[in-house]
Amino acid sequence: MSQATATSHGDTPMIEMTGLNKWYGDFHVLRDIDLTVARGERIVICGPSGSGKSTLIRCINHLESHQQGEIVVNGVPMTQDVKRIEQIRRNVGMVFQHFNLFPHLSVLENCCLSQTWVQKKPRAEAEKTAMEYLERVQIADQAHKYPGQLSGGQQQRVAIARSLCMRPEVMLFDEPTSALDPEMIKEVLDVMIELAREGMTMLCVTHEMGFAKTVADRVIFMDQGQIIEEAPPETFFNQPRSERTKLFLSQIL
Ligand code: ADP
Ligand code: MG
């Protein structure tokens, strides 16, 4: 093995979860989750409401803590240590259902804030990066508007750009199109498809099955805190194994 290969992260999985268990009080929300995500892999997570999908991906950047098992992100084991959590979060971007933009900041300021505060970048450099990513999600012309002046689809594209400004190694999406009017869903999915094509590692909680068929390497079906089934999209949609998966697919397709 060459030195370059040995020292690169090439062989380390992007995310490794082993024996993950989590409770909210007495409620056992995640049960014995084992999940390895390779570099560049695109994963779609689906399942009924309340099955633990959001909780699972929120554990990856420690927006939720777990009680049992291990999570390793980009080779770094998750602990309760604040510095360690910050180190992991630097590699992980997240996009939420309700965009979570700062309403009192312009689009450009939303995209610069973490760059100047967390990454300590000079303002000019942060703005340059912000404009680059706003350009990529085709919203640079709205840079000086406030989130409230934009449509839902535009706000979600800004949220994606803002996340990308931090140059994450992996992107987590939690139902990014569920709060959008139908005519705006495509503009957001198109940005996500583009990102997938560029090789970004992605975990997407979504019920957009067309998206899953287009970009997913693997579809994961969760129910009651467990991974019930995982398979490439062709197999998942055409030959689901478990009765629970079949029932779920019959309800959403
Ligand atoms: P999903 O994203 O699949 O809809 P969630 O991960 O949001 O599921 O929630 C899984 C279960 O955990 C649900 O029953 C939900 O009510 C419960 N839950 C989620 N967050 C909390 C919390 N902070 N405290 C207690 N229960 C929670
Ligand atoms: Mg959820």
Side-chain angles (χ1 to χ4, degrees), residues 7-165:
T7 53
S8 77
H9 285 289
D11 300 335
T12 326
M14 190 61 80
I15 297 165
E16 252 186 311
M17 294 182 170
T18 332
L20 192 74
N21 280 275
K22 174 175 175 59
W23 288 261
Y24 288 120
D26 292 338
F27 179 60
H28 197 172
V29 61
L30 295 177
R31 296 163 182 265
D32 303 320
I33 301 284
D34 292 315
L35 176 62
T36 301
V37 181
R39 235 151 253 283
E41 205 178 4
R42 280 85 34 123
I43 298 210
V44 161
I45 303 174
C46 61
S49 178
S51 56
K53 307 179 297 294
S54 295
T55 304
L56 178 70
I57 63 167
R58 290 167 66 89
C59 283
I60 296 169
N61 56 1
H62 205 271
L63 290 179
E64 296 289 348
S65 56
H66 61 282
Q67 285 86 34
Q68 268 180 22
E70 278 188 42
I71 303 178
V72 183
V73 182
N74 205 17
V76 180
M78 178 77 75
T79 65
Q80 299 292 328
D81 179 64
V82 177
K83 288 261 176 284
R84 184 68 66 85
I85 293 167
E86 280 173 4
Q87 184 187 0
I88 287 175
R89 283 187 183 158
R90 275 198 288 277
N91 287 321
V92 183
M94 185 153 187
V95 172
F96 303 87
Q97 185 176 355
H98 294 290
F99 330 133
N100 297 15
L101 296 172
F102 297 108
H104 59 292
L105 296 180
S106 72
V107 163
L108 183 62
E109 287 161 342
N110 263 281
C111 292
C112 288
L113 192 66
S114 291
Q115 294 189 70
T116 49
W117 275 84
V118 180
Q119 294 182 327
K120 313 285 182 212
K121 272 197 204 168
R123 176 78 195 182
E125 200 185 314
E127 282 191 12
K128 185 164 173 283
T129 304
M131 289 309 292
E132 221 176 276
Y133 284 106
L134 288 170
E135 203 75 62
R136 275 174 54 179
V137 303
Q138 294 178 19
I139 205 148
D141 55 336
Q142 313 286 323
H144 296 288
K145 288 197 177 161
Y146 286 85
Q149 296 172 290
L150 303 183
S151 73
Q154 290 174 319
Q155 289 187 56
Q156 194 59 299
R157 285 187 283 142
V158 171
I160 295 172
R162 178 177 67 172
S163 214
L164 293 174
C165 283

Side-chain angles (χ1 to χ4, degrees), residues 162-178:
R162 178 177 67 172
S163 214
L164 293 174
C165 283
M166 302 298 283
R167 305 199 195 279
E169 299 258 0
V170 50
M171 286 286 289
L172 311 175
F173 291 88
D174 194 357
E175 303 209 35
T177 60
S178 313

